[in-house]
Amino acid sequence: MSERAEPTTASRPRSTDGRRADVASWPLGLTGVGYGADYNPEQWADEVRVADIQLMVEAGVSIVSLAVFAWARIEPREGEYDWTWLDDTMDRLAAAGIRVTLATATASPPPWLSTKHPEILPELADGTVLWPGGRQHYRVSSPVYRDYVVRLTRAIARRYGTHPALAMWHVDNEIGCHVPHDYSDDAARGFRRWLENRYGTIEALNHAWGTAFWSQQYSDFAEVLPPRTAPTFPNPTHQLDFRRYSSDELLSYYQDIRAVLAEETPHVPCTTNFMVMAGSGPMDYYGWAPHMDVVSNDHYVQSADPHPERDIAFSADSVRSMAGGAPWLLMEHSTSAVNWQGHNRSRTAAESHRHSLAHVAHGADGVMFFQWRQSQAGAEKYHSAMLPHAGTDTDVWRGAVRLGEILRAIGEVQGSRVQARAAVLYEYPSVWAARMDSHPSDAIDPRAEAARYHHALARRGITADVVPPSSDLSGYDVVVVPELYLVSDADAANVAAAARRGATVLVTYFSGIVDPDDRVRLGGYPGAFRELLGVRTEEFWALQPGEEVTLDDGSTGTVWSERLHAADGTDAVRRFAGGPLDGGPAVTRRPVDAGTAWYVATRPSDEAVWDLVDAIVRESGVEPVAPDLADGLEVTRRTGPGASWLFVLNHADTALDVRCAGLELISGVEVAGALTVPAGGVAVVRERAAG
Ligand code: GAL
């Protein structure tokens, strides 16, 4: 099997405006793996700020994200700027050798602005205005708001563009986090422009949206509104296009700000922090990533998740894929508890270290937290930080200092890359469409299903990229296509070509059902993949919550089943046993030229997914990063010129062994063939060169 080629197509960020090649690339003036946090000095008195710098040095902090919510402090009244505190902070950080990703401070407009211009406030689908009092109370489609943002950005860029502490611009913050969809009149205008651009004529829109249904035919773009609260299900393609528009509008907000920064400081790279994590997903980050000079992500685990490491791995592999394999920055996660879930679980320093290193294991070259010093007041005062309320005589602080030491010990991995020969396909618009209302089952959850298959690969030591279906798939020997509901002809052909070339392709239920306009592909499901898979489904058979189907090997499925027929040359590897679909194919396999195409017509139990994935991995010949992995161990390999590093994360509560040889960097101990990683521990082994 061929080695994984360098990514070359859609998943690789490409500059769309020619800037990318001009800016200094990662590591942004940093040596080793970056370490730090959001720093909000505006919340503290000057003597605390002075002490902060000393403590940052003690913890080994090398980079901070500054001024994220500081607009009201920087510009307390319109046109009046107070730079003193920020000048002092930047100077002190520079003197301490700490680099800064300086925010544009636009993430929370000050009261004077929303008082003067209430027309910048966003609206929900039912017309509810989102008032000031929290943060992100702006509509990105407002020309008024954009003017103010551009003015502030220019002022900050001019003041700090050549400051020695400046490493990168941090545009706004988690753009779209609280207001991914705004239904205001400004948004209506923006949406109409976007639609005219997409469709050209109202007839084309009417066709795409299927407006013959329910008397929805438009005679002019001026009649189109955002999909505001309606008596019943709004038109699905209308909803889908509004989601596409909203993601594009948020991106264009970023691009406007970036354009100002590029004009003022063409030498300084630019990013905004993504939110690739479970429970988040309204922004099409594969489309956004090419506009980032460094891809950054924020990741928070769910307190109730018994296996948070699985979501970290899936999210981090997604972010690395968005970055086209290049090093990326973990801009935020938490040292311990967050404050915004129902029941916020604290975590030990060891857990925090393991989670931090998990991101590095998957390609991050920087680890940052929200935030440096725990707030005394405000909505986030119960959110953990590097320096907690109780001060430095705490496990959290000692843990933060220790993490600084660990990251220094493994600093040589910086710049190395993770390579994958397996891919899990994932695309935001397809997920949005799949999770739409008025569908066969609201238990359809492509992200969760993708993460299950991703984990099934990981537990066998197989690293996967998470890429959109338009990507160059030529370097992958295993391609998993989980619930890829909406797919273009070209992307379906791309998947089929991977199988014909020799890859093992596995497609799950509710894939290939509709075209990019959300129109059903007729002639039997799974339309776009019917020929590749050699199957035809005549009817979906969605299951009730808690209902199971049994397969002929005794394994079970939930959520979904279907009345499926296998064509000649397609094997029914498993059949439904009992119930209305008794004897019908449930899992199929078809040889396709040099490769194979598998279809899974239910949501198998975790164990059954593991067995299936074991079968396709064996068939593909892809070798694991480390052999015979014990349950609970996670391994990845980062490779640089002339060297490679094995990351071993033990998520179990017993010590586990892994076969490897080289120098373990955290302990400094030579490993001669087998390494025991303590419960909850991490090892980073510089591997002995082969031969
Ligand atoms: C992020 C945000 C930070 C902070 C953090 C708390 O969404 O960017 O400013 O609010 O969550 O977990």
Side-chain angles (χ1 to χ4, degrees), residues 291 307 332 375:
H291 305 277
H307 296 292
E332 288 182 26
S375 298

Side-chain angles (χ1 to χ4, degrees), residues 305 307-315 451 454-455 606 610 634:
D305 184 350
H307 296 292
E309 67 277 3
R310 296 182 189 173
D311 187 62
I312 293 175
F314 181 73
S315 301
H454 178 270
H455 173 66
D606 285 353
W610 299 345
E634 181 185 356

